[in-house]
Amino acid sequence: MAGGDDQERALRDALDVSPDNLPLRLHLAETLLRSGRPAAAEGEYRQMLLRDPASAAARAGLAAAFFQQGKLREATVLVEALLEGDADGATLVLHTRLLLAEGRDREAAVQYTAALALDPRLDDADLTDRLQHLFFPDPAAEEAGDDEGIALTADAESDGPLIEVERPAVTFAEVGGMDQVKEEIRMKIIHPLEHAELFRAYGKAIGGGILLYGPPGCGKTHLARATAGQISASFLAVGLSDVLDMWLGNSEKRLHAIFEQARRRAPCVLFFDEVDALGASRSSFQASAGRNVVNQFLYELDGVQADNDGVLILAATNTPWHVDPAFRRPGRFDRVLFVPPPDAVARAAILRIHVKGKPVDDIDFDHVAQKTQGFSGADLRAVVDVAVEEKIRVAMRDGVPRPLGTKDLTAAAKAVKPSTHEWFATARNYALHANEGGAYDDVLGYLDMR
């Protein structure tokens, strides 16, 4: 410690003589950061930025100092600005840590892979341990050290199943509300299958892509399954762990293999959840690894060397502003549909589903629905859970179990905060300031009607 103090004293003495020596000040800031004094390092990085506002090294260092102090929002703002330029691998690693802190593990895995592709020396045991469940979905294969055995590393021509094939029993009849979204899906996906000859007569291929976006918990995945059930098609649900691999080139192979499986099983609904992690804007990737996955995805959507006829591609995201704009080109995800929180009729239907099988009194579901404006399907499930827990608590106290009633659900609704509010706060900013081509007009329309 004494040696470190001596080094800091010597650096400060030198800066007293030459206060505008930026390399010297950077060295001092980095020394303070390494010694666990982020607040002091923050001061030095700020002094650098006063003298050179464009210094990427100072901004990256300041972001690291913010992160060490738990100032995650400030660190994120700086890092995202750096990612728009030529950020180095260390910045990508810091971005990985920030994404993990926000619970965005899948996006963190993509950034960590890009960082290692840029500089393998940035391999961090802690990050690898935290993210390995995304890289190694098959624990037995990982334990055996068999890279060939990891799920989905099979050759694209393999006849073996890569993604579990589902045959959903749910149809649109079990999806409350969302009539406009369902009608768009019918026109784009269902009618071409039911009236194939008519659509071919007009030169319309059977298949195509729809991107669903909106707040989390509003039924995008449920709607995708219902689409497959509506047409009695195979359903392949693809997660990031089914595609992402830490070895260069394997992610692209996996993606191609998944599309080939869907093509063999046509008619088939191929569903990508959290597609923003696989199809993130290429400007956010500083290494070729991430860009290559996006390019491969676009290549498969185009069906350059394979026919996507009969492959119905649905994707869902909570953050459409992070999806690469190229995905919205006609022939790819040429329908971008907003999935709003359920309306009053749908909320009542969802509540009926969640209380099914529970002891209930004569519940006025329409009344409860009016008290849950802006609630997502997941929020409504939480309302029922809270009401049930309170009933159990009272039953244990009084020794007499009583059924759920309207008052129980309305009281529980007051205790549950709608999770969609935070999403709309962010979406409003994009809808007002980054609404090229009217991409988010539906969001603005929904907000105006509230």
Side-chain angles (χ1 to χ4, degrees):
M1 180 66 70
D5 290 342
D6 290 342
Q7 182 183 18
E8 180 188 342
R9 191 177 301 110
L11 288 170
R12 290 194 182 281
D13 288 344
L15 281 171
D16 287 341
V17 177
S18 180
D20 293 329
N21 188 326
L22 296 186
L24 190 62
R25 194 173 293 277
L26 177 62
H27 183 39
L28 172 59
E30 291 173 342
T31 299
L32 292 168
L33 199 60
R34 285 194 300 269
S35 64
R37 299 173 59 191
E42 176 187 337
E44 298 303 327
Y45 286 123
R46 288 187 182 278
Q47 286 296 320
M48 283 188 65
L49 289 171
L50 286 175
R51 293 166 170 80
D52 182 9
S55 173
R59 285 186 290 162
L62 184 58
F66 281 148
F67 179 77
Q68 286 193 22
Q69 296 176 81
K71 300 177 180 179
L72 303 185
R73 185 179 297 275
E74 293 89 338
T76 299
V77 170
L78 281 173
V79 167
E80 288 184 346
L82 287 166
L83 290 175
E84 294 177 1
D86 294 324
D88 58 13
T91 302
L92 295 179
V93 170
L94 178 56
H95 193 213
T96 299
R97 296 187 187 281
L98 288 166
L99 291 169
L100 282 172
E102 294 178 22
R104 297 160 63 184
D105 292 15
R106 298 186 174 197
E107 294 171 70
V110 172
Q111 285 295 66
Y112 185 52
T113 302
L116 294 183
L118 199 62
D119 185 354
R121 294 172 299 176
L122 293 171
D123 184 24
D124 182 281
D126 175 61
L127 287 177
T128 299
D129 183 61
R130 293 175 67 182
L131 295 169
Q132 66 179 350
H133 68 285
L134 294 173
F135 295 129
F136 299 101
D138 183 354
E142 179 190 3
E143 184 177 347
D146 180 8
D147 294 335
E148 294 293 322
I150 296 173
L152 298 188
T153 54
D155 185 87
E157 301 302 320
S158 169
D159 292 328
L162 303 175
I163 301 291
E164 181 181 355
V165 180
E166 300 179 39
R167 285 280 185 176
V170 62
T171 66
F172 281 175
E174 286 76 48
V175 179
M178 294 193 278
D179 292 336
Q180 182 178 354
V181 177
K182 287 188 285 190
E183 183 55 37
E184 288 281 359
I185 291 176
R186 285 191 182 96
M187 192 63 194
K188 178 67 178 176
I189 287 179
I190 297 174
H191 293 331
L193 279 173
E194 295 176 339
H195 308 282
E197 294 303 321
L198 176 62
F199 275 74
R200 287 198 176 98
Y202 282 92
K204 291 285 288 182
I206 300 175
I210 291 178
L211 176 62
L212 307 172
Y213 78 93
C218 288
K220 294 184 287 295
T221 302
H222 184 55
L223 184 60
R225 278 195 168 84
T227 299
Q230 189 75 15
I231 56 178
S232 300
S234 301
F235 182 74
L236 303 182
V238 183
L240 187 64
S241 61
D242 298 319
V243 177
L244 192 66
D245 192 285
M246 67 190 302
W247 307 111
L248 288 176
N250 273 8
S251 298
E252 296 91 313
K253 291 179 181 178
R254 290 182 174 196
L255 196 55
H256 176 68
I258 291 168
F259 269 89
E260 283 297 292
Q261 182 185 7
R263 289 162 184 145
R264 290 195 297 270
R265 299 194 66 90
C268 176
V269 174
L270 183 57
F271 176 64
F272 292 89
D273 198 8
E274 298 184 63
V275 73
D276 49 285
L278 282 176
S281 176
R282 284 167 288 186
S283 63
S284 66
F285 293 114
Q286 303 305 312
S288 61
R291 291 194 185 98
N292 288 345
V293 174
V294 176
N295 290 336
Q296 183 69 36
F297 202 163
L298 295 171
Y299 184 84
E300 299 296 340
L301 288 172
D302 288 339
V304 175
Q305 291 185 337
D307 189 358
N308 284 338
D309 194 36
V311 178
L312 320 171
I313 304 162
L314 290 173
T317 178
N318 300 330
T319 55
W321 39 84
H322 290 159
V323 177
D324 194 286
F327 281 96
R328 298 185 182 186
R329 201 199 74 184
R332 294 167 179 170
F333 293 119
D334 47 7
R335 294 287 191 281
V336 181
L337 305 181
F338 173 52
V339 181
D343 58 19
V345 174
R347 292 197 298 275
I350 292 169
L351 287 166
R352 287 189 179 91
I353 292 171
H354 287 314
V355 302
K356 191 175 182 180
K358 298 176 175 62
V360 297
D361 202 348
D362 185 18
I363 297 177
D364 186 347
F365 290 103
D366 292 332
H367 175 74
V368 180
Q370 294 300 324
K371 302 295 183 181
T372 52
Q373 172 69 28
F375 280 50
S376 69
D379 295 332
L380 294 170
R381 182 173 62 245
V383 168
V384 174
D385 288 343
V386 169
V388 167
E389 289 172 3
E390 180 59 25
K391 278 298 182 184
I392 292 173
R393 187 178 296 110
V394 172
M396 292 174 65
R397 183 193 65 199
D398 299 342
V400 181
R402 293 182 174 86
L404 284 171
T406 303
K407 290 184 178 179
D408 300 310
L409 292 179
T410 54
K414 294 178 181 178
V416 176
K417 302 299 182 185
S419 61
T420 62
H421 287 178
E422 184 177 352
W423 186 88
F424 276 110
T426 300
R428 180 191 291 273
N429 290 332
Y430 282 96
L432 290 175
H433 306 298
N435 195 22
E436 297 86 353
Y440 306 121
D441 283 352
D442 288 340
V443 173
L444 291 175
Y446 178 85
L447 290 171
D448 288 341
M449 290 188 298
R450 292 172 64 181

